[in-house]
Every structure is written in structure tokens, then in C-alpha cells.
């Protein structure tokens, strides 16, 4: 069932592939493999990737087994794999796979230097599957953003962004005040092996995912529930915003995700949480009433297609419909944990109508004790509050994301 498979792929944890290519090489060989070796490994990954075994996971396993590769070679293999899926609509499937990968890399280079040599109509027709237009509005700026390589975003501990940027180097600080803790990393170092990462000084977290935490805006001493916590990216951000004070319940249906969450929390020095299994049903994991509940729901992941281009060709229109029902049920059930005057936040890294505005409208029809809160884009200073916030990669540089919020009425 797709809902179980997608139950928390989420944008928080840095994905293998384009955001995980900076892996420290072990047992380095004297001379890295040439272009043919890179293409051979890329071809191996592409042939093994399926709907059930996504390319990023296959790539991670393959690179882990290649002990002699240099970091630069790992980066080239990753780039070749993702270029293939990003430019698949232009490739001649009758040609050998290796030639297709070479063509994809050439197209990627051409787009980087001459993006206007590709017409809007061409990009819309070839870069995404045809069924997508039945579930959302497909625009040229969005599709153009999908064809660019994604940025690598970091979240520093609160108030430590500029200091971290000095330590790591090759960083762009997003903005002033709270945005100074959001960094775009442009270097080539293996961040996972830096002493700063091991000390929990930062997380790799997508920009739009960081926006969700700021919209939640939990305060120190409050009690929150991250209902679909997955591997803990947003939970760690909530804790940081709460200065590690108060309490966060973190739940997920998959025990292995919660185990990962616990390891990440230990490294980050986060202790104000309780991890608990929850299947998403009407029976909540606790009778506690919360100051705030975040439902970061499982979704089709359309908003992550610039980072995960393989998913463009494995996701189906039926998945969007199925997950819309899952999202509505999760939201309705989790709402029972919000105390009067408390906040409920819904987030999903998708832009499909059925998973965004229809879920929001369906929730309000079935749960009249909640009033919609206007949401301001925390990534854009001076932005106008809206009923439903839709973040897009062409505007923010992060994943596509929808966010809605409510307050539980006190009467």
C-alpha cells in the first residue's frame, strides 16, 4: 500500500543522492575510476531502481559498497543517476542505457548554461508525466525549477547560524534575525563527518521544512505533538525553538523511523521528547491535551520532485487520491489532541489539489470547532498572511510545501 510506503519519506532528513553525495571515501585508491566507471555504476543503479526500491535508496547502497571511490567520483555517479531521471523525457529508450545517461548529462549541462534553449512548452510536455495536469496546475516556472539541481540547506542551532557559517565556510546565510540560522551550503566537504555535525550544531533540513517549524512557533515550556514525526527532522526543530524546554510527543507508525529519531535526538542533545508508536487511528497515543499539534502528513511527494526526480516516473494519479484520504483521516484524528485555544498545523510536501486545499476544506467540514489561522511565509519578510500557504521551489529554493493552521475554539 502506497500510504504505508510513503508514511514518512518527508523532506527533513537529507536524502541519499544529491544531498548525500558528500560521503567520506574510505580506503582511497591511488587513481579514481574514469568516466566509463562512473557511467557503469550509474547504469547499475538505474537498472535496479523500481517503484518499491527508489533510485536514491539503491544509490546509497551501491555507493556504500564502493569502498574505493573518491568523494568526487561519488558525486559524479549521483549526478549521472539523477540527471537520467530529470531528463528522461528527452532520451531515446532504444539506445543503450549508457548512451542515455551520457545524453542526460549533456542536457543538464546545456540547461545550466542555456536554460532558454528549452521552451516552456517542451519542458512541460517532457519533464513531468502527463497525468500531473489532472491533479494540479502545471506552470512553466515550476517545471523550470524542477530541472535545476537542488540546493543544500542547513539549520543551525538557534542563534548560532553566523558562527556556524564561519566554521564550515562556503555558506550563504539566508537572512537576518531568525533566518540567520538557515544556511545554504555550497562547498564540497563531507558535512556528516565534520566535528560540528557530530556535536549536533546543525541539521541538514530543507528550507520549506524549516518554514513549517517557524509557523508552528512553539514556545519554551509548552507541550506539543508531532503526530507524523518520521525520523525527527521537524521534531528537532520544534525542540530548538522551545529551547529544549517543555515536552514534545513524537509518534510514527514505523518503529525503525522512531529508532532513527532517537539517534538523531541524542546527537543533537534533544531530550524534551517522548517517542511513541501511533498507527494514525482514532485512538491517540496519550490523553494529554496539547498546546500545539503538527500533522506533517504522508503525501505523494510531488513537492520534492526537483530533489527526487525518480519519483516523477513512479508516482501515479491514483496515489494522490489514496493519500488524500489518509491525510484527512490523520488530521481529523490528531485534532482530538488539541486543547481549547491550542494550535493545529497541517503540512505536506505536495502541491496537488487533493492533498492540499481539498484536505483543508474536508477537515473544516468535519471539525467545526476549529477556526482557520492566517499563515505568513516566514521565509519572506513582510509577506502577506494567507489562508493556505503554498511554498514553491522556484520562489524559495526549497521543496514544494503546503501549510495550513487552525486554533481550537474555546467555546
Amino acid at each position: 500500500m502506497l500510504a504505508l510506503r510513503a508514511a514518512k519519506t518527508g523532506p527533513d532528513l537529507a536524502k541519499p543522492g544529491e544531498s548525500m553525495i558528500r560521503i567520506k571515501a574510505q580506503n582511497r585508491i591511488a587513481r579514481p575510476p574514469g568516466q566509463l566507471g562512473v557511467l557503469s555504476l550509474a547504469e547499475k543503479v538505474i537498472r535496479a531502481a523500481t517503484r518499491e526500491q527508489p533510485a536514491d535508496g539503491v544509490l546509497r547502497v551501491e555507493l556504500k559498497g564502493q569502498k574505493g571511490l573518491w568523494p568526487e567520483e561519488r558525486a559524479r555517479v549521483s549526478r549521472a543517476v539523477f540527471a537520467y531521471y530529470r531528463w528522461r523525457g528527452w532520451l531515446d529508450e532504444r539506445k543503450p542505457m549508457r548512451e542515455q545517461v551520457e545524453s542526460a548529462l549533456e542536457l543538464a549541462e546545456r540547461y545550466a548554461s542555456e536554460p532558454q534553449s528549452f521552451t516552456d512548452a517542451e519542458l512541460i510536455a517532457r519533464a513531468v508525466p502527463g497525468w500531473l495536469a489532472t491533479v494540479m496546475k502545471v506552470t512553466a516556472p515550476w517545471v523550470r525549477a524542477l530541472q535545476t539541481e537542488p540546493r543544500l540547506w542547513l539549520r543551525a542551532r538557534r542563534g548560532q547560524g553566523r558562527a556556524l557559517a564561519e566554521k564550515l565556510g562556503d555558506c550563504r546565510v539566508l537572512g537576518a534575525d531568525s533566518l540567520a540560522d538557515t544556511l545554504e551550503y555550497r562547498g564540497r566537504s563531507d558535512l556528516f563527518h565534520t566535528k560540528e555535525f557530530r556535536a549536533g550544531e546543525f541539521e541538514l533540513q530543507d528550507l520549506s521544512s524549516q518554514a513549517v517549524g517557524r509557523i508552528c512557533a512553539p514556545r519554551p515550556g509548552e507541550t506539543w505533538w508531532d503526530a507524523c514525526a518520521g525520523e525527527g527532522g521537524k521534531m528537532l526543530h520544534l525542540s530548538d525553538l522551545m529551547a529544549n524546554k517543555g515536552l514534545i510527543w513524537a509518534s510514527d507508525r514505523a518503529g525503525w523511523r522512531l529508532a532513527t529519531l532517537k539517534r538523531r535526538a541524542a546527537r543533537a542533545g534533544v531530550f524534551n521528547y517522548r517517542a511513541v508508536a501511533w498507527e494514525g487511528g482514532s485512538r491517540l497515543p496519550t490523553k494529554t491535551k496539547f498546546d500545539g499539534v503538527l500533522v506533517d502528513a504522508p503525501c505523494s511527494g510531488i513537492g520534492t520532485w526537483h530533489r527526487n526526480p525518480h519519483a516523477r516516473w513512479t508516482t501515479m494519479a491514483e496515489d494522490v487520491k489514496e493519500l488524500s484520504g489518509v491525510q484527512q483521516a490523520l488530521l481529523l484524528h490528531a485534532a482530538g489532541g488539541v486543547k481549547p485555544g491550542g494550535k493545529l498545523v497541517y503540512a505536506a510536501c505536495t502541491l496537488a489539489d487533493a492533498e492540499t486545499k481539498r484536505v483543508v476544506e474536508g477537515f473544516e467540514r468535519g471539525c467545526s470547532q476549529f477556526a482557520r489561522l492566517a499563515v505568513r511565509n516566514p521565509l519572506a519578510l513582510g509577506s502577506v498572511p494567507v489562508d493556505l500557504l503554498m511554498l514553491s521551489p522556484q520562489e524559495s529554493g526549497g521543496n514544494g510545501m503546503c501549510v495550513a493552521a487552525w486554533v481550537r475554539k474555546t467555546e
Side-chain angles (χ1 to χ4, degrees):
M1 180 178 178
L2 176 76
L4 298 181
R5 179 174 66 85
K8 194 62 183 173
T9 57
D12 290 350
L13 188 62
K15 298 296 183 188
E18 290 176 294
S19 293
M20 294 280 284
I21 58 178
R22 301 169 178 85
I23 303 174
K24 184 177 181 181
Q26 299 175 0
N27 303 323
R28 291 188 177 183
I29 58 179
R31 187 171 58 191
Q35 180 68 2
L36 288 180
V38 168
L39 293 176
S40 178
L41 287 174
E43 179 180 355
K44 185 177 181 180
V45 171
I46 292 165
R47 291 192 181 282
T50 64
R51 175 180 167 94
E52 291 72 28
Q53 298 291 331
D56 56 1
V58 176
L59 177 65
R60 174 175 54 186
V61 172
E62 185 61 35
L63 291 181
K64 185 177 181 180
Q66 297 291 328
K67 299 297 184 181
L69 286 182
W70 289 15
E72 294 82 0
E73 297 302 318
R74 294 172 182 267
R76 290 172 61 193
V77 174
S78 300
R79 184 171 182 270
V81 169
F82 287 100
Y84 169 82
Y85 291 111
R86 189 167 284 121
W87 296 100
R88 178 176 169 178
W90 282 257
L91 306 179
D92 186 347
E93 296 181 355
R94 296 169 297 181
K95 291 184 177 180
M97 179 61 71
R98 188 166 299 182
E99 290 186 24
Q100 293 185 53
V101 176
E102 288 180 317
S103 296
L105 288 168
E106 291 171 0
L107 287 162
E109 184 176 347
R110 174 184 151 199
Y111 187 77
S113 60
E114 302 177 73
Q116 296 309 316
S117 66
F118 297 83
T119 68
D120 290 348
E122 177 186 16
L123 289 166
I124 291 174
R126 295 188 178 190
V128 295
W131 62 260
L132 188 64
T134 68
V135 301
M136 63 173 282
K137 184 177 181 180
V138 180
T139 67
W142 178 67
V143 175
R144 286 190 176 277
L146 295 188
Q147 297 308 98
T148 61
E149 294 189 9
R151 304 177 189 179
L152 182 57
W153 296 102
L154 313 182
R155 178 181 59 78
R157 283 183 175 177
R158 187 171 56 170
Q160 299 301 311
R162 296 190 183 281
L164 178 66
E166 289 288 335
K167 293 179 183 178
L168 296 179
D170 299 311
C171 287
R172 178 179 73 89
V173 179
L174 186 61
D177 302 325
S178 62
L179 295 182
D181 295 328
T182 298
L183 312 177
E184 179 188 359
Y185 183 70
R186 298 173 173 177
R188 300 179 62 85
S189 298
D190 173 14
L191 293 177
F192 294 101
H193 286 79
T194 61
K195 64 180 184 298
E196 290 81 11
F197 181 78
R198 291 195 296 267
E201 293 184 23
F202 69 92
E203 299 292 328
L204 276 74
Q205 185 177 21
D206 182 76
L207 182 63
S208 297
S209 176
Q210 295 186 46
V212 173
R214 294 193 177 102
I215 290 169
C216 289
R219 293 176 293 187
E222 290 186 336
T223 302
W224 274 73
W225 177 24
D226 186 352
C228 305
E231 299 177 22
K234 292 185 178 67
M235 188 278 287
L236 296 179
H237 193 189
L238 295 180
S239 176
D240 187 59
L241 293 170
M242 296 167 68
N244 216 355
K245 299 176 181 178
L247 179 64
I248 305 170
W249 284 72
S251 62
D252 197 86
R253 68 189 312 155
W256 67 267
R257 294 191 184 98
L258 293 178
T260 301
L261 178 152
K262 292 177 182 179
R263 291 194 295 270
R264 295 182 71 190
R267 179 187 55 78
V270 169
F271 303 107
N272 66 326
Y273 76 96
R274 293 178 184 173
V276 60
W278 181 53
E279 292 293 323
S282 58
R283 184 175 181 179
L284 303 186
T286 175
K287 295 181 179 179
T288 300
K289 296 299 180 182
F290 296 93
D291 295 294
V293 172
L294 168 62
V295 180
D296 177 28
C299 68
S300 63
I302 292 172
T304 69
W305 279 5
H306 71 304
R307 191 175 302 280
N308 181 21
H310 178 226
R312 304 181 199 181
W313 313 112
T314 58
T315 305
M316 308 294 290
E318 293 77 12
D319 300 333
V320 173
K321 181 178 179 181
E322 177 187 348
L323 286 163
S324 178
V326 172
Q327 293 150 2
Q328 291 217 30
L330 284 169
L331 192 54
L332 284 167
H333 293 155
V338 182
K339 72 180 185 181
K343 182 188 293 186
L344 174 65
V345 178
Y346 172 72
C349 52
T350 181
L351 302 174
D353 292 344
E355 299 179 275
T356 56
K357 61 184 180 182
R358 292 181 192 170
V359 170
V360 169
E361 292 166 355
F363 169 73
E364 291 180 338
R365 286 194 298 269
C367 215
S368 60
Q369 60 268 47
F370 283 81
R372 187 92 66 98
L373 291 173
V375 177
R376 187 187 300 274
N377 181 0
L379 305 177
L381 298 179
S383 61
V384 177
V386 294
D387 286 342
L388 178 62
L389 179 63
M390 302 291 285
L391 299 173
S392 58
Q394 69 268 29
E395 295 174 352
S396 70
N399 287 333
M401 179 83 70
C402 81
V403 189
W406 298 266
V407 61
R408 186 168 196 139
K409 300 173 184 177
T410 56
E411 296 180 359

